[in-house]
Amino acid sequence: MNTQVQNPTQVDWVAVLEQEARGLVAALDAQPDARRLFDGTIDTEGYIHYLIQTYHYARWSTPMLAEAGHRLKRQGRHPHLAELLVQKAGEERGHEKWLLSDLKNLGCPEVRVETAARTPAVDAYTGWNFFTSRSGVPTAVLGTAYVLEYLSQTRATGVVERLIAADAIPDIRKSVTFLRSHGALDGDHVAEMEAVLRTLTDPEEQAAVIFSARATRCIYPGIFRER
């Protein structure tokens, strides 16, 4: 992983953040199963793998974001960002249930989901974000949130329609709740987050947010099945 972060005083640091988000989209476009998901042609096992791995990181989104927000509050720093993190924690609550419902409709019971092996990418993702929220720079988790919401905005829209049109997966119409909801929910969040992030003026915090975005860009493609 390239850990060198450009000096935010030399460039627009939010533009650097957007570069990382675009890099994630490009990496997923080049990953076979991710590309198949985006164009609607992924097979049943590939889709189940994606949903299971997504469940194993999405189930922790609420506590990660909430811990980061409450740490900021305890530190008496960035009250607006603290509130945003707590708000986002609430917005993410229960999303793992959508995944379990979609998987059940695909014939994958909850016991199989819970006992399924996690990819190294999922462990890396949850480990990194728990570290930043609990012990590192708490605002860094916004870098992760930003690139994933950018991904939802640029790729989730239209995926459901393409999956249904391809009809390659039995009962696919009953198994797209998570994707449909994220495509609808994340549309305005990128612009909202950019506006809030621009209030961060500390170069160290800016660098931490960019580094989390970069880590996510490198880690996230690994949640998909390798073929």
Side-chain angles (χ1 to χ4, degrees):
M1 184 191 304
N2 178 9
T3 59
Q4 183 179 359
V5 177
Q6 291 166 277
N7 185 341
T9 63
Q10 297 175 339
V11 294
D12 178 352
W13 80 277
V14 176
V16 176
L17 194 62
E18 186 179 353
Q19 288 173 10
E20 295 299 335
R22 289 199 302 269
L24 173 60
V25 173
L28 290 171
D29 284 343
Q31 205 284 343
D33 254 18
R35 188 175 65 250
R36 294 184 190 105
L37 174 66
F38 297 154
D39 67 22
T41 61
I42 194 168
D43 62 15
T44 302
E45 283 307 308
Y47 187 52
I48 287 174
H49 175 92
Y50 160 73
L51 292 181
I52 288 176
Q53 298 306 314
T54 301
Y55 169 81
H56 280 292
Y57 79 77
R59 65 189 302 190
W60 302 114
S61 296
T62 291
M64 283 175 186
L65 292 164
E67 286 192 39
H70 290 308
R71 261 187 80 214
L72 280 178
K73 286 186 176 183
R74 289 195 300 271
Q75 294 170 354
R77 300 170 59 242
H78 304 309
H80 56 297
L81 284 175
E83 285 301 326
L84 176 63
L85 286 165
V86 172
Q87 174 190 326
K88 289 185 65 59
E91 291 170 355
E92 293 294 318
R93 183 172 290 111
H95 289 196
E96 71 277 7
K97 294 179 181 178
W98 295 341
L99 289 155
L100 289 174
S101 176
D102 287 343
L103 284 159
K104 181 179 180 181
N105 290 332
L106 292 168
C108 186
E110 186 172 346
V111 64
R112 177 182 167 188
V113 179
E114 294 287 357
T115 58
R118 299 185 303 272
T119 63
V122 167
D123 288 339
Y125 175 94
T126 54
W128 171 253
N129 285 288
F130 266 127
F131 166 74
T132 58
S133 62
R134 291 172 173 172
S135 302
V137 178
T139 48
V141 74
L142 288 168
T144 296
Y146 177 87
V147 295
L148 291 184
E149 289 187 347
Y150 186 97
L151 173 64
S152 288
Q153 180 175 292
T154 56
R155 287 294 179 270
T157 303
V159 168
V160 170
E161 289 74 16
R162 287 190 286 274
L163 284 167
I164 291 172
D167 201 23
I169 300 172
D171 291 320
I172 188 61
R173 290 179 180 273
K174 300 177 182 178
S175 311
V176 289
T177 307
F178 178 81
L179 285 175
R180 190 188 301 279
S181 300
H182 269 248
L185 289 174
D186 291 336
D188 296 327
H189 288 185
V190 172
E192 173 191 326
M193 285 188 66
E194 286 180 358
V196 175
L197 286 167
R198 288 191 182 279
T199 67
L200 280 179
T201 57
D202 181 350
E204 289 299 319
E205 284 194 301
Q206 294 173 352
V209 173
I210 292 170
F211 188 82
S212 268
R214 186 161 297 168
T216 305
R217 185 254 296 169
C218 295
I219 291 168
Y220 189 79
I223 75 165
F224 286 89
R225 179 182 59 174
E226 296 290 342
R227 293 184 64 179

